[in-house]
Amino acid sequence: MSLLVTGSIGIDTVKTPFGVSKDCLGGSAVYFSMAASFFTNVRFLGAIGADCPFDLKKIFKNRPVDLTGLEVRQNSKTFRWAGSYHGPMNEAITDFVELNVLAEKPPKMPDEYKDSKFVFLANTTPILQIKLLDQLDNPKFVAADTMNCWIKNHTRDLKRLLKRIDCLILNEGEARMLANEHNLINAAEKILLLGPNVVVIKKGESGSIIRQADGQLFVLPAYPATIVKDPTGAGDSFAGGFMGYLAGQNKADFATLKKAAAYGTVVASFTISDFSLKGMTKITKRNIDNRLNVLRKLTKF
Amino acid sequence: MSLLVTGSIGIDTVKTPFGVSKDCLGGSAVYFSMAASFFTNVRFLGAIGADCPFDLKKIFKNRPVDLTGLEVRQNSKTFRWAGSYHGPMNEAITDFVELNVLAEKPPKMPDEYKDSKFVFLANTTPILQIKLLDQLDNPKFVAADTMNCWIKNHTRDLKRLLKRIDCLILNEGEARMLANEHNLINAAEKILLLGPNVVVIKKGESGSIIRQADGQLFVLPAYPATIVKDPTGAGDSFAGGFMGYLAGQNKADFATLKKAAAYGTVVASFTISDFSLKGMTKITKRNIDNRLNVLRKLTKF
């Protein structure tokens, strides 16, 4: 089943204790699509400016990523982000952001995308996420990401969005902020009351939690990665593996959600092993399946 | 198989957002013994002063805890600790400490304890831990806890201890400090090079990791507790459940270590649900087994 993603394409400059990656390809839709492409067909929706140095057709060559929805705007500039990670590399410090094309109107949804059943609305303003959702015919499972500034300053719009999606994927700090509750299980409960049927809380190197409105719960440690060069894109790769597996299976029952989260953490473990997309582009689905089996073994008692 | 524990008995005053527990029973040996008593016979070694208001015989009544090694010193005062937890309750702020009896010579090892096979050296100076170990005939599996001040200021003694124990149990901050390495899997590797065959890293609400010198690894999420009133004693309860299960099974192969860690997190989840020992004294082994089964279900994919 086809999976639609809308999100950013970025020109990133990333500094970590392991080196500097200047003007490399990044962005939520890019990491997500690469991760999801191991599992299913992806419909890509996003915009870049004329300055974009990357040939996405080449980057996604031989991968099932449909770039019909890639809009190149001749008079615009591509989104740019520079960030650095220090010490434990838990969190990026943003050195600069140029929204550029992201501050303009959203990309136009191609007609042939409108029947998409699985949808991921990557992190952007909730009002934009709603507008994108409005253009879809009858999606089956819609997941969205969000972040602290929307939780804090766009609460009303975010609450409108939450009533219309099936699944919210967010990190632990965001979950605590949205629910105003430290305990993550209780925070997930409170978020479910705002609308979604499923909440996925990402805890970085400490794994993830899935809580479903019927009371079902899943707790998963992260894949124990020992090579961590650049955490950029880990969250979007997790979401890509997660949604990619669901769309590939064409279901979202709890057993499938659990396995999808395990695939999410495994794909993210490859992403963080190298800069930009290199951690993912050098592997095959077999590498992912091998790590999934390792993770299953490591967590069994 | 009998399990020997040496550690503190404390008069604790604990403040959390859920209330104040003034002059209540605490201490590493107490939490550990209560937790371990669900699984095996415990030999208790520790000292109190004449001021101690608690009747440990009554507290451990009907539990397999041998108090022969409880020394009451008429001219000494009992260890006292006061701490408070704020907001997320991740870490206690120590409001005051009176070492009292803990600053004196260690308690005398009763002759009938000397054949103990499973031993837990709760957190104290490494030199004291070594002295206690010196009094044992031929232990089979010795685990020790430690903390930041010994890692920082008693490094040489600690390294001597590490060569003589089978297993080090410590929290993530301590592991990072001891190994001088942020990544916990890599930190565990480095600690193994210092001597022990097994390292258990406790990550609080994020679970635990076990690394064995032969390369085996286990990653376990914490039991997802939703009622957390007082985290005091969680680490010692984890260690008590862990070592109690090993001693009860009379083995310490990797499969047994994994199940032991699962029991550890489950027992700790009861400890933190109430002040002092109340979370543990109101349950039975059946409650523990039920939560173990829940944890197994919650982590399976």
Side-chain angles (χ1 to χ4, degrees):
Chain A
M1 190 60 67
S2 260
L3 166 63
L4 169 68
V5 56
T6 76
S8 63
I9 302 111
I11 304 174
D12 285 359
T13 292
V14 180
K15 287 181 207 172
T16 86
F18 297 91
V20 179
S21 181
K22 201 173 147 45
D23 293 342
C24 63
L25 178 58
S28 57
V30 173
Y31 279 107
F32 180 97
S33 298
M34 189 60 81
S37 72
F38 291 103
F39 304 94
T40 195
N41 298 317
V42 182
R43 292 167 168 180
F44 186 104
L45 183 65
I48 51 176
D51 61 336
C52 187
F54 308 111
D55 182 352
L56 291 180
K57 280 204 182 107
K58 204 171 154 192
I59 280 152
F60 288 114
K61 198 184 160 189
N62 299 326
R63 296 181 192 266
V65 178
D66 180 347
L67 293 170
T68 309
L70 175 66
E71 228 176 278
V72 185
R73 295 183 186 167
Q74 291 308 324
N75 297 314
S76 301
K77 285 172 75 182
T78 306
F79 167 61
R80 279 180 179 268
W81 176 78
S84 47
Y85 297 85
H86 302 273
M89 303 199 291
N90 284 335
E91 217 169 335
I93 293 167
T94 292
D95 298 320
F96 77 77
V97 183
E98 280 179 21
L99 286 178
N100 296 330
V101 77
L102 291 191
E104 303 168 8
K105 63 173 186 194
K108 198 185 168 306
M109 181 86 67
D111 284 340
E112 58 267 47
Y113 281 12
K114 291 183 177 170
D115 64 353
S116 296
K117 293 298 173 203
F118 287 80
V119 177
F120 183 67
L121 306 167
N123 174 35
T124 184
T125 63
I127 196 76
L128 217 60
Q129 290 174 311
I130 290 170
K131 278 184 187 167
L132 288 158
L133 204 45
D134 281 339
Q135 298 173 62
L136 293 168
D137 290 340
N138 186 26
K140 177 175 171 172
F141 188 85
V142 178
D145 190 2
T146 192
M147 73 183 287
N148 43 13
C149 60
W150 318 130
I151 294 170
K152 214 168 162 183
N153 304 319
H154 295 235
T155 321
R156 223 177 110 191
D157 291 336
L158 181 59
K159 288 191 174 171
R160 274 180 58 211
L161 174 73
L162 290 176
K163 291 201 195 314
R164 296 190 48 191
I165 62 174
D166 301 282
C167 173
L168 184 66
I169 303 178
L170 74 181
N171 72 36
E172 54 182 326
E174 293 156 358
R176 287 181 173 126
M177 183 186 265
L178 178 55
N180 192 25
E181 159 76 46
H182 182 80
N183 182 290
L184 289 177
I185 313 294
N186 295 336
E189 285 295 332
K190 287 190 177 179
I191 293 169
L192 290 174
L193 295 176
L194 299 173
N197 184 49
V198 176
V199 174
V200 180
I201 301 179
K202 298 173 290 179
K203 300 165 69 186
E205 63 172 345
S206 293
S208 53
I209 292 171
I210 305 181
R211 186 73 164 167
Q212 192 167 268
D214 65 0
Q216 289 196 82
L217 176 66
F218 179 52
V219 287
L220 177 73
Y223 182 87
T226 51
I227 301 168
V228 184
K229 282 190 184 168
D230 175 12
T232 310
D236 293 311
S237 301
F238 174 92
F242 177 78
M243 290 296 291
Y245 182 72
L246 296 180
Q249 299 294 310
N250 190 23
K251 46 189 184 177
D253 60 288
F254 204 69
T256 312
L257 289 170
K258 295 199 289 185
K259 198 165 171 190
Y263 270 121
T265 183
V266 162
V267 177
S269 77
F270 286 108
T271 296
I272 63 181
S273 72
D274 211 335
F275 286 92
S276 187
L277 296 166
K278 281 191 277 181
M280 275 194 284
T281 50
K282 66 187 173 198
I283 58 161
T284 65
K285 179 67 172 16
R286 179 177 284 186
N287 299 116
I288 293 171
D289 283 322
N290 286 345
R291 280 205 180 170
L292 190 88
N293 290 332
V294 170
L295 181 63
R296 189 175 271 136
K297 197 171 157 241
L298 290 178
T299 53
K300 204 177 166 187
F301 66 88
Chain B
M1 190 61 64
S2 262
L3 167 62
L4 170 68
V5 56
T6 76
S8 63
I9 303 111
I11 305 175
D12 285 0
T13 292
V14 180
K15 286 181 207 171
T16 86
F18 297 91
V20 180
S21 180
K22 201 174 148 42
D23 293 342
C24 63
L25 178 59
S28 58
V30 173
Y31 279 108
F32 181 96
S33 298
M34 189 60 81
S37 72
F38 291 103
F39 304 94
T40 195
N41 298 317
V42 182
R43 293 166 169 181
F44 186 104
L45 183 64
I48 51 176
D51 62 335
C52 187
F54 308 113
D55 182 352
L56 290 181
K57 280 203 181 108
K58 203 169 153 192
I59 281 153
F60 287 114
K61 199 183 158 189
N62 299 326
R63 295 181 192 267
V65 178
D66 180 348
L67 293 170
T68 310
L70 174 68
E71 226 176 279
V72 186
R73 294 183 187 166
Q74 291 310 324
N75 297 315
S76 301
K77 285 172 76 182
T78 306
F79 168 61
R80 278 179 179 268
W81 177 78
S84 47
Y85 297 86
H86 302 273
M89 303 201 288
N90 283 335
E91 216 169 335
I93 294 168
T94 293
D95 298 321
F96 77 78
V97 183
E98 281 179 22
L99 286 179
N100 296 330
V101 77
L102 290 190
E104 303 169 10
K105 62 174 186 192
K108 197 185 168 307
M109 181 86 65
D111 284 339
E112 59 266 46
Y113 281 13
K114 290 183 178 170
D115 64 353
S116 297
K117 292 299 173 203
F118 287 81
V119 178
F120 183 67
L121 306 167
N123 173 36
T124 183
T125 63
I127 196 77
L128 217 62
Q129 290 174 310
I130 289 170
K131 278 185 188 166
L132 288 158
L133 205 45
D134 281 339
Q135 298 173 62
L136 294 168
D137 290 339
N138 186 25
K140 177 175 170 172
F141 188 84
V142 178
D145 190 2
T146 193
M147 73 183 287
N148 44 13
C149 60
W150 319 130
I151 295 170
K152 213 169 165 182
N153 304 319
H154 296 235
T155 321
R156 227 177 107 190
D157 291 335
L158 181 59
K159 287 191 174 171
R160 275 179 56 212
L161 174 73
L162 290 176
K163 290 199 196 318
R164 296 189 49 190
I165 62 174
D166 302 281
C167 173
L168 184 66
I169 303 178
L170 73 182
N171 72 36
E172 55 183 325
E174 294 156 357
R176 288 183 174 125
M177 185 187 264
L178 177 57
N180 192 24
E181 160 74 47
H182 182 80
N183 182 289
L184 289 176
I185 313 294
N186 295 336
E189 285 295 332
K190 287 190 177 179
I191 293 168
L192 290 173
L193 296 176
L194 299 173
N197 184 48
V198 176
V199 174
V200 180
I201 301 180
K202 297 173 291 181
K203 300 165 68 186
E205 63 172 345
S206 294
S208 53
I209 292 171
I210 304 182
R211 186 71 164 170
Q212 192 167 267
D214 65 0
Q216 290 196 81
L217 176 65
F218 178 52
V219 287
L220 177 72
Y223 182 87
T226 51
I227 300 169
V228 184
K229 282 191 184 167
D230 174 12
T232 310
D236 293 310
S237 301
F238 175 92
F242 177 78
M243 290 296 291
Y245 182 73
L246 295 180
Q249 299 293 310
N250 190 22
K251 44 188 186 179
D253 60 286
F254 204 70
T256 311
L257 290 170
K258 294 199 289 185
K259 198 165 169 189
Y263 270 120
T265 183
V266 162
V267 176
S269 77
F270 286 108
T271 296
I272 64 181
S273 72
D274 210 335
F275 285 92
S276 187
L277 296 166
K278 281 192 276 182
M280 274 193 284
T281 51
K282 66 187 172 198
I283 58 161
T284 65
K285 180 68 172 19
R286 178 176 286 186
N287 298 116
I288 293 171
D289 283 322
N290 286 346
R291 278 204 183 171
L292 190 88
N293 289 333
V294 169
L295 182 63
R296 188 175 272 136
K297 197 170 158 243
L298 290 177
T299 53
K300 204 177 166 186
F301 66 88

